[in-house]
Amino acid sequence: MDLVPALEEPLKQPLKSVLGPATAKVMAEHLGLHTVGDLLHHYPRRYEERGQLTHLADLPMDEHVTVVAQVADARLHSFASAKAPRGKGQRLEVTITDGSGRLQLVFFGNGVHKPHKELLPGTRAMFAGKVSVFNRRLQLAHPAYELLKGDSEEAVETWAGTLIPIYPATAKLESWKIGKAVQTVLPSAQEAVDPLPASLREGRGLVTLPEALLKIHRPHTKADIADARSRLKWDEAFVLQVALARRRHADTQLPAVPRTARPDGILTAFDDRLPFTLTDGQKKVSAEIFTDLATDHPMHRLLQGEVGSGKTLVALRAMLAVVDAGGQAAMLAPTEVLAQQHHRSVTEIMGELAEGGMLGGAEHGTKVVLLTGSMGAAARRQALLDLVTGEAGIVIGTHALIEDKVQFHDLGLVVVDEQHRFGVEQRDALRGKGKQPPHLLVMTATPIPRTVAMTVFGDLETSVLDQLPAGRSPIATHVVPAADKPHFLARAWERVREEVTGGHQAYVVCPRIGDDTDETDGAGDPKKARRSPEDEAEKRPPLAVLDIAEQLGRGPLQGLRVEVLHGRMHPDDKDAVMRRFAAGETDVLVATTVIEVGVNVPNATAMVIMDADRFGVSQLHQLRGRVGRGAAPGLCLLVSEMPEASAARQRLNAVASTLDGFELSRIDLEQRREGDVLGQAQSGVRSSLRVLAVIEDEEVIAEAREEAAALVAADPELERLPGLRTALDALLDEEREQYLEKG
């Protein structure tokens, strides 16, 4: 966050004598650091203590590391090679130790002379390099190093501090070089303008921003680091919450048409024909939504609920209340399969109420239309006409709803399904279709810990559905280690046959489609999909729908009715496949993640997820929610070739051990860091979080939200706080940039 003009000097310019253009270029290209302010906000990842040696025992493979250790032994060997045939090749092997373990360093050729002179037994130094394995031992080849000694005044001063900051570095720029560059710009920290109001800072006993920057980069004690971090966490949480509070405040200034259901209208008729009673959770959340809909400024509510907790029903009741009040409601779904599925289930559950204006339709009925990009011209024209005349009270569609051609008679409510698939700008585009801003209900089946909800969806009020409706069955989940125990995989296919023999159906999910391109259909780009070291090691492409379907049809599932479903099929074909599966005409559906959200086939009881380690924790939980939707118990088998000790297998074990989505989302966040979750859910948020961890810092975020709300209510334009305005502008600039990149 570039806080003030004084810190906006480009790194290339003022530091020519120190950084040099080459270093400035590496900082810009590899670390995204362009200005003095950027460099001051590039905080140390951790600190080494002079008297304490690092744990060499915990070194991660294939990562660039910095260690502080002592030379135990150094030996120069000669060897013969193609380049030095007469045994004149030289290899220097240096063993370093830190008390917890030993590590070998290797230098070759002309590179041996300097370290041979400098790295004598007993010498302490910082070493940086990439950890690799040679002869089953960890080693660093040709590491960069900085000796921790020196009699010159500068050297003594540089290393006199007891704590050595270790910065996030790259292979091209070692931690200590970044440290030296920071040292050069540190005097500029005095000019940093403080974004926190003085009363808030003093009330919470926080240090000033210049002091925090000095203490984070040059701490004398651990207490200095703690002071600096708590202050910088507050900056990040507070600036972000002020941005969100201003967005909420702006929304409350907008006018909206209050929408209240009639006592004898379509909502009452719908409730009367429901074959079951609503859960207490559904009743409570519906009441919150109806209260919001009755106000004269737009509702902005996030409805999060476990897979199968009945969110769609709650949303449908809200839509019917708006239709009762003379308005229209639109539901935005992320995929055509899901839009068609929603349209089908809504018309089925509404029955004659979805046939307004038609023969045999109920007197309170309304038309429910579908609008997707692949519809035929005639059907599309009719749908558009029904919307503009007001004949259709409810429309369900994909991005096609956002197009300019689409006009409404009186749009009163927008429901966005699976929020993380849509940016803020897309939901705003749809809201712009109302004569006055419509109410907004955002739904997600990805359980979001409270803090993430406050950070990511901070412009929305939150409702949570955490009860499953009666009649939902438990889902048993097991990991199938295909490489260690191939007979487990054979047993998995037997279990699928048993389910089918018992009159049920099954899904088989693969990460890839498997024709000429490498499309993954929702699991992310396979080249970028969460690649673990083990993943890299095996280099096998993810298993593909088309290949697996063929193998199963010829082998373990021979004789069963097996069909495929993936995102590149023609929409009519996709719909036909889903209809046949829903009707029970297909036994096994081999699919990509297109079935991840919203697909509802109560008779499907088993799911086998191939290469399950290629999916994220939350995504596996979502997929698993497709089975066990009826009276029979569900079974989910996670097939993986990853070794038992790998992080990937631990992730799968976590999914198998609990059905609590909130618990899993915490695990997911802790493993993936906030970046992915925040990045995909809301543009611009990740870039501003450097020391704030949304899981650990729940208290700070909650308090910052309260402070921000009070401050914005008193001074919406922040006229009395120029430093905060500058920090906000920097945050929003980054956010706008990310919008452009996404768009």
Side-chain angles (χ1 to χ4, degrees), residues 71 311 381:
V71 177
K311 292 180 303 301
R381 245 194 326 271

Side-chain angles (χ1 to χ4, degrees), residues 479-519:
V479 179
V480 177
D484 316 348
K485 299 177 178 165
H487 60 286
F488 276 36
L489 183 57
R491 175 71 188 123
W493 301 126
E494 281 173 23
R495 283 292 290 113
V496 170
R497 288 195 88 95
E498 286 163 16
E499 290 298 312
V500 172
T501 307
H504 297 296
Q505 292 159 279
Y507 297 99
V508 177
V509 182
C510 305
R512 207 167 58 107
I513 296 173
D515 46 15
D516 51 352
T517 61
D518 223 3
E519 183 178 322

Side-chain angles (χ1 to χ4, degrees), residues 602-618:
N603 192 44
T605 52
M607 176 178 285
V608 181
I609 303 179
M610 308 302 291
D611 276 346
D613 47 90
R614 312 262 179 157
F615 300 94
V617 169
S618 296

